């Protein structure tokens, strides 16, 4: 689930969970967020401007903010 700007809001949802989340979660379904589902692989994710596969490990108490690459945003 990602915003139109490519900010990943939720990752690795089952198809049923995705549908329930979009139908019932006020954050994901709001007009402000406009979240949409994307089927992508790790090589399409970026954090701090670098591919996730090349990013330093995150602190255990903090998750990096993931972003979709430009091609995935348009898919």
């Amino acid at each position: 689930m990602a915003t139109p700007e490519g900010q990943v809001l939720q990752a690795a949802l089952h198809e049923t969970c995705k549908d329930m989340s979009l139908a019932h979660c006020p954050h994901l379904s709001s007009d402000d967020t406009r979240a949409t589902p994307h089927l992508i692989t790790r090589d399409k994710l970026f954090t701090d401007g670098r591919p996730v596969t090349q990013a330093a490990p995150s602190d255990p108490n903090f998750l990096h903010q993931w972003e979709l690459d430009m091609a995935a945003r348009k898919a």
Side-chain angles (χ1 to χ4, degrees):
M1 302 295 294
T3 67
E5 296 78 27
Q7 180 183 16
V8 175
L9 301 170
Q10 180 67 43
L13 292 174
H14 295 101
E15 187 77 18
T16 302
C17 297
K18 171 198 55 98
D19 294 339
M20 280 185 11
S21 295
L22 280 173
H24 300 287
C25 176
H27 176 64
L28 294 176
S29 63
S30 78
D31 287 338
D32 292 333
T33 304
R34 298 173 312 189
T36 56
H38 297 265
L39 180 60
I40 59 167
T41 57
R42 285 178 57 89
D43 62 321
K44 303 292 184 201
L45 292 173
F46 282 70
T47 185
D48 296 330
R50 297 186 317 222
V52 167
T53 55
Q54 298 174 9
S58 65
D59 180 303
N61 299 314
F62 176 78
L63 294 175
H64 286 298
Q65 178 58 56
W66 295 351
E67 296 176 354
L68 301 178
D69 74 358
M70 290 305 288
R73 292 179 198 194
K74 297 175 184 175

